[in-house]
Amino acid sequence: MDKIVVEGGKRLTGTVAISGAKNAALPILVSALLTDGVCTFTNVPDLQDIRSILLLLESLGARVVADGHTIKIDAATLAASEAPYDLVRKMRASILVLCPLVARLGHARVSLPGGCAIGARPINLHLKGLERLGATIDIRHGYVEARAHRLKGADIYFDTVTVTGTENIMMAAALADGVTVLRNAAREPEVVALAEVLMGMGADIQGAGTSVVTINGVEELRPTTFEIIPDRIEAGTFMAAAALTGGDVTLTHCQPDHLSAVSDKLQQAGVVIRSQGTSLRVTADKAIASVDVRTQTYPGFPTDMQAQFMVLMSCAEGQSIIKETIFENRFIHVSELRRLGADITISGDTAVVRGVKALFGAPVMASDLRASASLVLAGLVAEGLTEINRVYHIDRGYEQIEEKMRQIGAAIWREKAS
Ligand code: EPZ
């Protein structure tokens, strides 16, 4: 397995382009299953998770043509409605094929996605929503089997805000008979982007981006084209990198208004942020102050930025309290950061981070996508070399992270693990 090596101490300056959003592209690529023609998506990031979902779509009978960041998907002749364990276990977002398959074919058999490093991550709300739409659900031998002759619109309340749950049910409701109202729906930009794609296909959706979404089902959906929105978490990760190294970095091809909570916290910490159109300039020319953060659903501070922000707070002046309210086990990066010299104490869902004068490079182990990114960030400022092992976690969600970091002055390279 490859590893990434970082030599700390370089100040990051210059310009870096942000890629398309993984968490927008995944549901949007799957939405092609709802149509019987060729959908074209541009600005699709070149990531392991994207390659995994395209393999799954092909296994269902869709024809996929990938040309750089442009993906064409023809789902005219679907030949299967099963998502096998060996594909789903690699990428839990595969559960997103469940509802489109039931809506299009009347049947789906999808392996239950197991838990993952950051939590149990059940899919009960996906299944409850699909049942409310009239599907019969059986769970046997580690698989979910769902059937419905024609889904019927329903009033659905999500006990917990769920991003892919909202996306899954929205796709099913688009082809249901009648009106569906989703209450306590996720408001993330990625949900809004999916709604825009569905509307481009002819769906009738009101309220996407608010907590009440109304979908008036239609008979069929037609192919569409769409440009994937920028990745706000990749952007936030590079903003944290600039802040950590006292740098001056301009991000291009991003959407600043998707980053308000992250920008606000960085500004509170003393970072200067200037946005202009699709560019964001991040300048850190004074000491970083400690700031408290609690992760929340959008538009609050994103859980996917918690680990990255914790690294920044580890190098700040003072003490900060970081509360993780979305996932029950999203502090795995803490033990690795401690190995680099961070001073972090955990109590339940709360981490107390005391800023230290310096971090010191060491070999560390990546555990999940965003934890891995936080270890790269720590390596940027740790004295000496930091080696991040199991770097496949990073390749799932960051396109060419070392090339992009090198472009703005980082000393970072990939080594084949011996
Ligand atoms: C999406 O995951 C993202 N993934 C995650 O990004 C992100 O961390 C998460 O939303 C929260 O913003 C994609 O979009 C592909 P949830 P998702 O359903 O949809 C509980 C990354 O690093 N829940 O919003 O799986 C769940 O356990 C990844 O890019 C249920 O209880 O997250 C969690 O506590 C990591 N039952 C909370 O809701 C359900 O049926 C939020 O989960 C569904 C969820």
Side-chain angles (χ1 to χ4, degrees):
M1 280 182 272
D2 290 0
K3 58 185 172 185
I4 282 184
V5 183
V6 191
E7 181 190 350
K10 307 291 182 193
R11 178 173 177 264
L12 300 189
T13 58
T15 300
V16 63
I18 297 302
S19 299
K22 165 179 83 80
N23 290 350
L26 290 170
I28 287 170
L29 292 169
V30 169
S31 73
L33 293 175
L34 295 166
T35 73
D36 60 359
V38 180
C39 291
T40 303
F41 302 119
T42 58
N43 197 37
V44 180
D46 180 15
L47 301 168
Q48 186 52 50
D49 273 10
I50 298 298
R51 291 188 282 274
S52 299
I53 206 80
L54 293 178
L55 277 176
L56 174 54
L57 295 178
E58 285 179 320
S59 75
L60 297 170
R63 279 205 304 281
V64 172
V65 176
D67 173 15
H69 293 122
T70 297
I71 306 283
K72 289 180 185 287
I73 301 172
D74 179 353
T77 52
L78 292 183
S81 57
E82 174 160 330
Y85 173 67
D86 68 332
L87 278 177
V88 176
R89 73 181 169 78
K90 283 187 203 125
M91 218 256 314
R92 53 175 305 101
S94 311
I95 193 63
L96 283 164
V97 303
L98 175 70
C99 289
L101 285 173
V102 176
R104 178 86 190 278
L105 301 177
H107 172 255
R109 185 168 186 268
V110 179
S111 167
L112 278 169
C116 80
I118 62 178
R121 301 185 73 183
I123 57 163
N124 58 308
L125 300 176
H126 297 237
L127 303 183
K128 176 187 161 194
L130 191 51
E131 229 164 14
R132 292 277 299 129
L133 293 172
T136 56
I137 307 273
D138 290 309
I139 294 182
R140 258 199 294 268
H141 307 297
Y143 277 75
V144 179
E145 192 137 15
R147 293 180 184 287
H149 175 61
R150 173 88 195 273
L151 295 171
K152 293 208 176 342
D155 201 306
I156 297 169
Y157 173 75
F158 289 107
D159 303 346
T160 307
V161 173
T162 162
V163 173
T164 50
T166 301
E167 291 164 347
N168 226 338
I169 301 304
M170 198 159 68
M171 288 191 278
L175 281 177
D177 178 16
V179 179
T180 295
V181 180
L182 306 183
R183 300 184 195 283
N184 200 25
R187 297 180 281 169
E188 273 67 6
E190 295 76 25
V191 174
V192 175
L194 173 65
E196 286 169 5
V197 169
L198 294 172
M199 286 186 275
M201 293 173 171
D204 177 355
I205 301 175
Q206 308 289 329
T210 74
S211 53
V212 180
V213 181
T214 304
I215 303 118
N216 189 4
V218 295
E219 287 292 321
E220 65 173 1
L221 295 172
R222 54 183 181 276
T224 190
T225 62
F226 189 78
E227 179 181 327
I228 302 296
I229 62 172
D231 193 319
R232 60 194 169 99
I233 305 301
E234 183 195 25
T237 305
F238 277 92
M239 291 167 79
L244 261 171
T245 60
D248 183 353
V249 175
T250 298
L251 311 182
T252 61
H253 301 83
C254 64
Q255 191 122 7
D257 61 344
H258 289 167
L259 284 151
S260 307
V262 174
S263 296
D264 177 59
K265 286 298 174 185
L266 287 172
Q267 285 164 327
Q268 286 180 39
V271 179
V272 177
I273 294 177
R274 289 174 284 243
S275 68
Q276 189 181 0
T278 58
S279 292
L280 255 180
R281 184 175 175 190
V282 183
T283 313
D285 49 14
K286 58 182 193 288
I288 298 293
S290 289
V291 175
D292 294 346
V293 159
R294 54 175 291 141
T295 62
Q296 298 172 73
T297 57
Y298 193 87
F301 190 91
T303 174
D304 291 349
M305 275 298 299
Q306 179 254 103
Q308 299 92 312
F309 199 78
M310 186 179 283
V311 175
L312 184 63
M313 291 299 100
S314 296
C315 305
E317 288 182 347
Q319 170 180 298
S320 72
I321 309 286
I322 296 181
K323 196 174 173 62
E324 172 57 55
T325 71
I326 305 294
F327 290 109
E328 68 269 27
N329 188 35
R330 202 169 199 175
F331 284 146
I332 307 164
H333 44 283
V334 170
S335 51
E336 296 305 298
L337 292 178
R338 284 189 188 127
R339 298 192 61 247
L340 301 176
D343 179 351
I344 306 167
T345 312
I346 296 176
S347 165
D349 63 0
T350 302
V352 178
V353 184
R354 291 177 191 82
V356 293
K357 289 269 174 283
L359 295 177
F360 300 90
V364 286
M365 193 70 77
S367 55
D368 64 271
L369 171 55
R370 305 304 171 183
S372 323
S374 74
L375 296 175
V376 170
L377 294 183
L380 293 172
V381 289
E383 287 177 20
L385 294 183
T386 299
E387 289 185 1
I388 297 110
N389 294 287
R390 292 190 185 162
V391 79
Y392 59 85
H393 287 293
I394 291 188
D395 294 335
R396 295 191 50 181
Y398 287 88
E399 186 174 354
Q400 298 192 318
I401 191 166
E402 68 261 37
E403 288 82 351
K404 290 189 177 185
M405 288 283 184
R406 259 203 304 274
Q407 199 179 307
I408 49 178
I412 180 173
W413 59 94
R414 189 178 289 246
E415 283 182 8
K416 290 281 175 218
S418 42

